[in-house]
mmCIF file of all heavy atoms in Angstrom:
data_model
loop_
_atom_site.group_PDB
_atom_site.id
_atom_site.type_symbol
_atom_site.label_atom_id
_atom_site.label_comp_id
_atom_site.label_asym_id
_atom_site.label_seq_id
_atom_site.Cartn_x
_atom_site.Cartn_y
_atom_site.Cartn_z
ATOM 1 N N PRO A 88 120.638 123.052 85.370
ATOM 2 C CA PRO A 88 120.164 123.602 86.650
ATOM 3 C C PRO A 88 121.300 123.762 87.662
ATOM 4 O O PRO A 88 121.338 124.725 88.430
ATOM 5 C CB PRO A 88 119.172 122.555 87.162
ATOM 6 C CG PRO A 88 118.824 121.714 85.995
ATOM 7 C CD PRO A 88 119.985 121.767 85.056
ATOM 8 N N VAL A 114 112.475 120.367 93.960
ATOM 9 C CA VAL A 114 112.807 119.305 93.011
ATOM 10 C C VAL A 114 114.038 118.562 93.532
ATOM 11 O O VAL A 114 114.026 117.359 93.696
ATOM 12 C CB VAL A 114 113.039 119.784 91.564
ATOM 13 C CG1 VAL A 114 113.381 118.597 90.659
ATOM 14 C CG2 VAL A 114 111.817 120.508 91.011
ATOM 15 N N HIS A 116 117.029 118.681 92.070
ATOM 16 C CA HIS A 116 117.946 118.321 90.981
ATOM 17 C C HIS A 116 119.152 119.245 90.908
ATOM 18 O O HIS A 116 120.036 119.037 90.092
ATOM 19 C CB HIS A 116 117.177 118.337 89.661
ATOM 20 C CG HIS A 116 116.596 119.684 89.311
ATOM 21 N ND1 HIS A 116 115.972 120.494 90.235
ATOM 22 C CD2 HIS A 116 116.539 120.360 88.153
ATOM 23 C CE1 HIS A 116 115.571 121.603 89.638
ATOM 24 N NE2 HIS A 116 115.904 121.538 88.384
ATOM 25 N N GLN A 117 119.182 120.271 91.747
ATOM 26 C CA GLN A 117 120.237 121.289 91.655
ATOM 27 C C GLN A 117 121.215 121.230 92.836
ATOM 28 O O GLN A 117 121.840 122.211 93.185
ATOM 29 C CB GLN A 117 119.594 122.687 91.526
ATOM 30 C CG GLN A 117 118.962 123.278 92.784
ATOM 31 C CD GLN A 117 117.665 122.647 93.194
ATOM 32 O OE1 GLN A 117 117.622 121.462 93.508
ATOM 33 N NE2 GLN A 117 116.606 123.425 93.254
ATOM 34 N N GLY A 157 112.551 115.130 94.749
ATOM 35 C CA GLY A 157 112.570 114.776 93.336
ATOM 36 C C GLY A 157 111.336 115.315 92.625
ATOM 37 O O GLY A 157 111.357 115.604 91.444
ATOM 38 N N HIS A 158 110.267 115.473 93.408
ATOM 39 C CA HIS A 158 109.048 116.037 92.838
ATOM 40 C C HIS A 158 108.963 117.508 93.239
ATOM 41 O O HIS A 158 109.354 117.880 94.341
ATOM 42 C CB HIS A 158 107.818 115.290 93.353
ATOM 43 C CG HIS A 158 107.690 113.904 92.784
ATOM 44 N ND1 HIS A 158 106.510 113.205 92.780
ATOM 45 C CD2 HIS A 158 108.595 113.093 92.184
ATOM 46 C CE1 HIS A 158 106.691 112.025 92.202
ATOM 47 N NE2 HIS A 158 107.958 111.934 91.845
ATOM 48 N N SER A 159 108.401 118.292 92.348
ATOM 49 C CA SER A 159 108.521 119.747 92.517
ATOM 50 C C SER A 159 107.510 120.373 93.477
ATOM 51 O O SER A 159 106.534 119.738 93.886
ATOM 52 C CB SER A 159 108.323 120.414 91.163
ATOM 53 O OG SER A 159 106.943 120.437 90.872
ATOM 54 N N ILE A 186 113.617 127.555 95.597
ATOM 55 C CA ILE A 186 112.603 127.098 94.630
ATOM 56 C C ILE A 186 112.800 127.824 93.302
ATOM 57 O O ILE A 186 113.032 129.029 93.270
ATOM 58 C CB ILE A 186 111.170 127.308 95.197
ATOM 59 C CG1 ILE A 186 110.127 126.767 94.214
ATOM 60 C CG2 ILE A 186 110.869 128.743 95.561
ATOM 61 C CD1 ILE A 186 108.725 126.613 94.813
ATOM 62 N N GLY A 187 112.719 127.074 92.205
ATOM 63 C CA GLY A 187 112.882 127.673 90.884
ATOM 64 C C GLY A 187 111.592 128.321 90.415
ATOM 65 O O GLY A 187 110.506 128.046 90.936
ATOM 66 N N ASP A 188 111.712 129.179 89.401
ATOM 67 C CA ASP A 188 110.506 129.824 88.865
ATOM 68 C C ASP A 188 109.590 128.781 88.214
ATOM 69 O O ASP A 188 108.374 128.964 88.172
ATOM 70 C CB ASP A 188 110.855 130.929 87.869
ATOM 71 C CG ASP A 188 111.777 130.444 86.769
ATOM 72 O OD1 ASP A 188 112.796 129.799 87.066
ATOM 73 O OD2 ASP A 188 111.486 130.710 85.578
ATOM 74 N N GLY A 189 110.176 127.676 87.741
ATOM 75 C CA GLY A 189 109.355 126.603 87.173
ATOM 76 C C GLY A 189 108.547 125.930 88.268
ATOM 77 O O GLY A 189 107.318 125.812 88.183
ATOM 78 N N ALA A 190 109.228 125.532 89.333
ATOM 79 C CA ALA A 190 108.544 124.835 90.431
ATOM 80 C C ALA A 190 107.491 125.735 91.073
ATOM 81 O O ALA A 190 106.493 125.255 91.623
ATOM 82 C CB ALA A 190 109.553 124.370 91.470
ATOM 83 N N LEU A 191 107.704 127.044 90.972
ATOM 84 C CA LEU A 191 106.727 127.975 91.551
ATOM 85 C C LEU A 191 105.392 127.946 90.808
ATOM 86 O O LEU A 191 104.395 128.451 91.305
ATOM 87 C CB LEU A 191 107.304 129.402 91.542
ATOM 88 C CG LEU A 191 106.541 130.437 92.350
ATOM 89 C CD1 LEU A 191 106.664 130.168 93.841
ATOM 90 C CD2 LEU A 191 107.023 131.840 92.027
ATOM 91 N N ASN A 216 114.827 131.081 92.812
ATOM 92 C CA ASN A 216 115.897 131.019 91.806
ATOM 93 C C ASN A 216 115.264 131.165 90.426
ATOM 94 O O ASN A 216 114.764 130.209 89.848
ATOM 95 C CB ASN A 216 116.630 129.679 91.933
ATOM 96 C CG ASN A 216 117.604 129.473 90.793
ATOM 97 O OD1 ASN A 216 118.156 130.439 90.252
ATOM 98 N ND2 ASN A 216 117.812 128.233 90.399
ATOM 99 N N ASN A 218 115.374 131.742 86.635
ATOM 100 C CA ASN A 218 116.198 131.729 85.412
ATOM 101 C C ASN A 218 115.321 131.779 84.169
ATOM 102 O O ASN A 218 115.783 131.514 83.066
ATOM 103 C CB ASN A 218 117.118 130.499 85.395
ATOM 104 C CG ASN A 218 116.346 129.200 85.566
ATOM 105 O OD1 ASN A 218 115.154 129.140 85.282
ATOM 106 N ND2 ASN A 218 117.004 128.154 86.037
ATOM 107 N N MET A 220 113.344 129.850 83.121
ATOM 108 C CA MET A 220 113.194 128.547 82.463
ATOM 109 C C MET A 220 112.602 127.535 83.441
ATOM 110 O O MET A 220 112.948 127.544 84.622
ATOM 111 C CB MET A 220 114.563 127.970 82.046
ATOM 112 C CG MET A 220 115.322 128.721 80.995
ATOM 113 S SD MET A 220 114.588 128.547 79.373
ATOM 114 C CE MET A 220 114.855 126.831 78.984
ATOM 115 N N SER A 221 111.754 126.678 82.919
ATOM 116 C CA SER A 221 111.447 125.429 83.601
ATOM 117 C C SER A 221 112.420 124.446 82.924
ATOM 118 O O SER A 221 113.602 124.777 82.833
ATOM 119 C CB SER A 221 109.970 125.091 83.358
ATOM 120 O OG SER A 221 109.607 123.946 84.067
ATOM 121 N N ILE A 222 111.958 123.279 82.437
ATOM 122 C CA ILE A 222 112.893 122.531 81.585
ATOM 123 C C ILE A 222 112.931 123.254 80.239
ATOM 124 O O ILE A 222 113.987 123.591 79.720
ATOM 125 C CB ILE A 222 112.456 121.057 81.423
ATOM 126 C CG1 ILE A 222 112.595 120.344 82.764
ATOM 127 C CG2 ILE A 222 113.302 120.370 80.345
ATOM 128 C CD1 ILE A 222 112.185 118.885 82.759
ATOM 129 N N LYS A 325 120.521 129.714 83.521
ATOM 130 C CA LYS A 325 120.554 128.249 83.480
ATOM 131 C C LYS A 325 121.688 127.813 82.551
ATOM 132 O O LYS A 325 121.813 128.324 81.440
ATOM 133 C CB LYS A 325 119.185 127.750 82.983
ATOM 134 C CG LYS A 325 118.916 126.319 83.315
ATOM 135 C CD LYS A 325 117.434 125.996 83.292
ATOM 136 C CE LYS A 325 117.264 124.514 83.553
ATOM 137 N NZ LYS A 325 115.917 124.125 83.875
ATOM 138 N N HIS A 340 119.221 120.194 80.515
ATOM 139 C CA HIS A 340 118.549 120.138 81.828
ATOM 140 C C HIS A 340 118.866 118.785 82.468
ATOM 141 O O HIS A 340 119.454 118.704 83.530
ATOM 142 C CB HIS A 340 117.045 120.329 81.655
ATOM 143 C CG HIS A 340 116.305 120.170 82.938
ATOM 144 N ND1 HIS A 340 116.067 121.210 83.794
ATOM 145 C CD2 HIS A 340 115.786 119.071 83.543
ATOM 146 C CE1 HIS A 340 115.431 120.762 84.864
ATOM 147 N NE2 HIS A 340 115.252 119.470 84.739
ATOM 148 N N ALA A 382 102.753 118.771 81.604
ATOM 149 C CA ALA A 382 103.052 119.570 82.792
ATOM 150 C C ALA A 382 104.559 119.861 82.761
ATOM 151 O O ALA A 382 105.347 119.224 83.453
ATOM 152 C CB ALA A 382 102.651 118.831 84.058
ATOM 153 N N ALA A 383 104.934 120.776 81.896
ATOM 154 C CA ALA A 383 106.324 121.258 81.774
ATOM 155 C C ALA A 383 107.298 120.189 81.277
ATOM 156 O O ALA A 383 108.489 120.277 81.537
ATOM 157 C CB ALA A 383 106.814 121.837 83.112
ATOM 158 N N MET A 384 106.783 119.191 80.567
ATOM 159 C CA MET A 384 107.648 118.097 80.146
ATOM 160 C C MET A 384 107.531 117.836 78.647
ATOM 161 O O MET A 384 107.592 116.687 78.211
ATOM 162 C CB MET A 384 107.277 116.819 80.920
ATOM 163 C CG MET A 384 107.414 116.909 82.417
ATOM 164 S SD MET A 384 109.100 117.130 82.955
ATOM 165 C CE MET A 384 109.736 115.514 82.686
ATOM 166 N N LEU A 406 104.330 123.107 86.016
ATOM 167 C CA LEU A 406 104.499 121.879 86.826
ATOM 168 C C LEU A 406 103.238 121.657 87.649
ATOM 169 O O LEU A 406 103.220 121.821 88.865
ATOM 170 C CB LEU A 406 105.720 121.994 87.737
ATOM 171 C CG LEU A 406 107.067 121.750 87.057
ATOM 172 C CD1 LEU A 406 107.539 122.991 86.329
ATOM 173 C CD2 LEU A 406 108.118 121.335 88.060
ATOM 174 N N GLU A 408 100.476 118.939 87.496
ATOM 175 C CA GLU A 408 99.847 117.716 86.993
ATOM 176 C C GLU A 408 98.384 117.612 87.409
ATOM 177 O O GLU A 408 97.541 117.161 86.629
ATOM 178 C CB GLU A 408 100.624 116.487 87.484
ATOM 179 C CG GLU A 408 101.990 116.285 86.839
ATOM 180 C CD GLU A 408 103.103 117.133 87.420
ATOM 181 O OE1 GLU A 408 102.833 117.878 88.406
ATOM 182 O OE2 GLU A 408 104.239 117.075 86.924
ATOM 183 N N PHE A 433 105.039 111.279 88.193
ATOM 184 C CA PHE A 433 104.375 112.557 88.455
ATOM 185 C C PHE A 433 102.850 112.430 88.423
ATOM 186 O O PHE A 433 102.142 113.266 88.972
ATOM 187 C CB PHE A 433 104.858 113.636 87.479
ATOM 188 C CG PHE A 433 106.360 113.832 87.528
ATOM 189 C CD1 PHE A 433 107.098 113.946 86.361
ATOM 190 C CD2 PHE A 433 107.029 113.877 88.736
ATOM 191 C CE1 PHE A 433 108.476 114.102 86.399
ATOM 192 C CE2 PHE A 433 108.407 114.030 88.792
ATOM 193 C CZ PHE A 433 109.134 114.145 87.620
ATOM 194 N N ARG A 436 100.606 112.358 91.707
ATOM 195 C CA ARG A 436 99.973 113.523 92.330
ATOM 196 C C ARG A 436 98.487 113.642 92.003
ATOM 197 O O ARG A 436 97.789 114.431 92.629
ATOM 198 C CB ARG A 436 100.618 114.806 91.794
ATOM 199 C CG ARG A 436 102.066 114.880 92.038
ATOM 200 C CD ARG A 436 102.534 116.285 92.116
ATOM 201 N NE ARG A 436 103.587 116.312 93.098
ATOM 202 C CZ ARG A 436 104.212 117.408 93.470
ATOM 203 N NH1 ARG A 436 103.882 118.559 92.951
ATOM 204 N NH2 ARG A 436 105.156 117.339 94.373
ATOM 205 N N HIS A 469 111.748 108.854 91.329
ATOM 206 C CA HIS A 469 111.296 108.887 89.938
ATOM 207 C C HIS A 469 110.856 107.534 89.381
ATOM 208 O O HIS A 469 110.378 107.468 88.253
ATOM 209 C CB HIS A 469 112.410 109.444 89.051
ATOM 210 C CG HIS A 469 112.519 110.948 89.108
ATOM 211 N ND1 HIS A 469 112.753 111.626 90.271
ATOM 212 C CD2 HIS A 469 112.413 111.893 88.146
ATOM 213 C CE1 HIS A 469 112.790 112.923 90.028
ATOM 214 N NE2 HIS A 469 112.589 113.112 88.739
HETATM 215 C C1 TPP B 732 105.802 117.232 90.132
HETATM 216 C C2 TPP B 732 106.921 117.285 89.144
HETATM 217 N N1 TPP B 732 106.642 117.443 87.827
HETATM 218 C C3 TPP B 732 107.636 117.481 86.924
HETATM 219 C C4 TPP B 732 108.933 117.374 87.318
HETATM 220 C C5 TPP B 732 110.050 117.314 86.288
HETATM 221 N N2 TPP B 732 110.924 118.504 86.400
HETATM 222 C C6 TPP B 732 112.092 118.440 87.059
HETATM 223 S S1 TPP B 732 112.861 119.908 87.109
HETATM 224 C C7 TPP B 732 111.651 120.642 86.221
HETATM 225 C C8 TPP B 732 111.755 122.106 85.897
HETATM 226 C C9 TPP B 732 111.954 122.909 87.114
HETATM 227 O O1 TPP B 732 112.159 124.244 86.776
HETATM 228 P P1 TPP B 732 112.699 125.239 87.875
HETATM 229 O O2 TPP B 732 111.989 124.997 89.147
HETATM 230 O O3 TPP B 732 112.615 126.603 87.315
HETATM 231 O O4 TPP B 732 114.190 124.795 88.111
HETATM 232 P P2 TPP B 732 115.443 124.958 87.130
HETATM 233 O O5 TPP B 732 115.680 123.587 86.558
HETATM 234 O O6 TPP B 732 115.108 125.954 86.070
HETATM 235 O O7 TPP B 732 116.544 125.385 87.999
HETATM 236 C C10 TPP B 732 110.655 119.738 85.888
HETATM 237 C C11 TPP B 732 109.466 120.035 85.065
HETATM 238 C C12 TPP B 732 109.185 117.206 88.697
HETATM 239 N N3 TPP B 732 110.429 117.035 89.167
HETATM 240 N N4 TPP B 732 108.178 117.182 89.571
#
Side-chain angles (χ1 to χ4, degrees):
V114 180
H116 61 317
Q117 74 287 62
H158 289 200
S159 78
I186 183 166
D188 53 311
L191 192 69
N216 172 30
N218 55 23
M220 295 288 292
S221 184
I222 292 179
K325 199 159 176 166
H340 175 89
M384 300 295 286
L406 281 81
E408 289 81 3
F433 303 136
R436 301 207 145 182
H469 281 59

